[in-house]
């Protein structure tokens, strides 16, 4: 059985796709059930171009989710290159909180897209969990957190972020929550 070889998009097609994604991120963050026709119009593309790239709402929403989660995940490696592990971890946690709050509408769009019977499964947060694992292992090697904390443990510990609402002044509450998590990670660390 031969696999169909994927051909790269032409530059104009790639620009159209990126423009659609950019507009869709903004629109779906503000209004989870924004009409696809409005997204296409704001992106300056015709319906045909839009649907060639994203045949349905689910495809668009899942693509946005994967893109945005990968952006957050990629930040972890960059921070570790620039900062000591404890600082990289804490800044990354702040960025994750920022993502959670500014993309709350996107989370609603994902729930709408994946909640229908027979619809696509809710996407996995694997890129973010992998990034957390990278940061945790760097901190464990540096002796700045207790040994043996898994990415699953970490994700459960910060799950309170998703209980905050973006309409309130969430930043001080998120900072307190994340400081508590960091204090817990430090408890039992080999080095102070």
């Amino acid at each position: 059985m031969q696999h169909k070889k994927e051909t790269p998009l032409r530059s104009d097609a790639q620009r159209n796709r990126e423009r659609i994604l950019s507009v869709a991120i903004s629109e779906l963050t503000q209004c989870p059930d924004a009409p696809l026709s409005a997204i296409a119009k704001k992106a300056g593309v015709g319906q045909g171009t839009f649907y060639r790239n994203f045949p349905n709402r689910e495809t668009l929403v899942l693509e946005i989710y994967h893109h945005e989660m990968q952006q957050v995940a990629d930040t972890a490696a960059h921070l570790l290159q620039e900062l000591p592990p404890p600082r990289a971890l804490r800044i990354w946690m702040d960025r994750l909180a920022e993502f959670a709050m500014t993309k709350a509408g996107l989370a609603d769009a994902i729930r709408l897209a994946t909640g229908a019977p027979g619809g696509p499964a809710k996407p996995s947060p694997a890129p973010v969990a992998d990034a957390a694992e990278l940061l945790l292992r760097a901190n464990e090697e540096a002796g700045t957190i207790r040994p043996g904390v898994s990415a699953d443990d970490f994700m459960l510990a910060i799950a309170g972020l998703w209980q905050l609402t973006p309409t309130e002044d969430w930043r001080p509450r998120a900072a307190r929550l994340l400081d508590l998590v960091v204090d817990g990670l430090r408890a039992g660390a080999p080095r102070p």
Side-chain angles (χ1 to χ4, degrees):
M1 180 168 128
Q2 283 188 320
H3 292 287
K4 185 178 174 187
K5 191 175 184 181
E6 280 192 38
T7 56
L9 292 175
R10 295 184 333 251
S11 61
D12 60 329
Q14 184 62 35
R15 281 192 302 275
N16 284 341
R17 184 176 176 78
E18 289 169 3
R19 209 168 38 251
I20 293 167
L21 284 172
S22 176
V23 169
I25 289 167
S26 173
E27 293 299 306
L28 292 173
T29 296
Q30 293 173 28
C31 178
D33 57 355
L36 298 183
S37 58
I39 293 170
K41 186 175 181 180
K42 283 190 178 185
V45 300
Q47 296 288 333
T49 298
F50 183 92
Y51 286 106
R52 266 192 306 280
N53 282 282
F54 304 103
N56 54 46
R57 176 177 293 277
E58 292 80 12
T59 305
L60 175 64
V61 169
L62 294 176
E63 176 80 16
I64 290 169
Y65 175 84
H66 290 297
H67 177 267
E68 293 292 293
M69 292 300 276
Q70 194 60 55
Q71 296 288 87
V72 172
D74 290 347
T75 304
H78 296 297
L79 288 169
L80 278 173
Q81 290 173 353
E82 299 169 7
L83 300 168
R87 189 77 187 122
L89 176 62
R90 186 61 178 88
I91 289 174
W92 184 78
M93 291 168 74
D94 287 338
R95 291 190 183 168
L96 185 59
E98 183 80 23
F99 169 77
M101 291 300 101
T102 60
K103 303 300 183 194
L106 182 56
D108 291 339
I110 290 166
R111 277 190 285 281
L112 288 171
T114 59
K122 186 176 179 198
S124 161
V128 171
D130 291 346
E133 185 70 28
L134 177 70
L135 288 158
L136 291 169
R137 296 300 63 86
N139 275 277
E140 189 174 322
E141 288 172 22
T144 55
I145 66 169
R146 68 175 56 211
V149 177
S150 71
D152 287 341
D153 295 338
F154 176 81
M155 298 304 284
L156 284 171
I158 65 166
L161 284 176
W162 285 269
Q163 302 305 311
L164 301 176
T165 57
T167 54
E168 63 187 39
D169 188 13
W170 59 267
R171 281 181 173 80
R173 292 190 75 196
R176 281 193 308 275
L177 172 70
L178 296 177
D179 285 344
L180 285 169
V181 171
V182 168
D183 288 347
L185 290 170
R186 287 185 189 138
R191 297 183 196 141

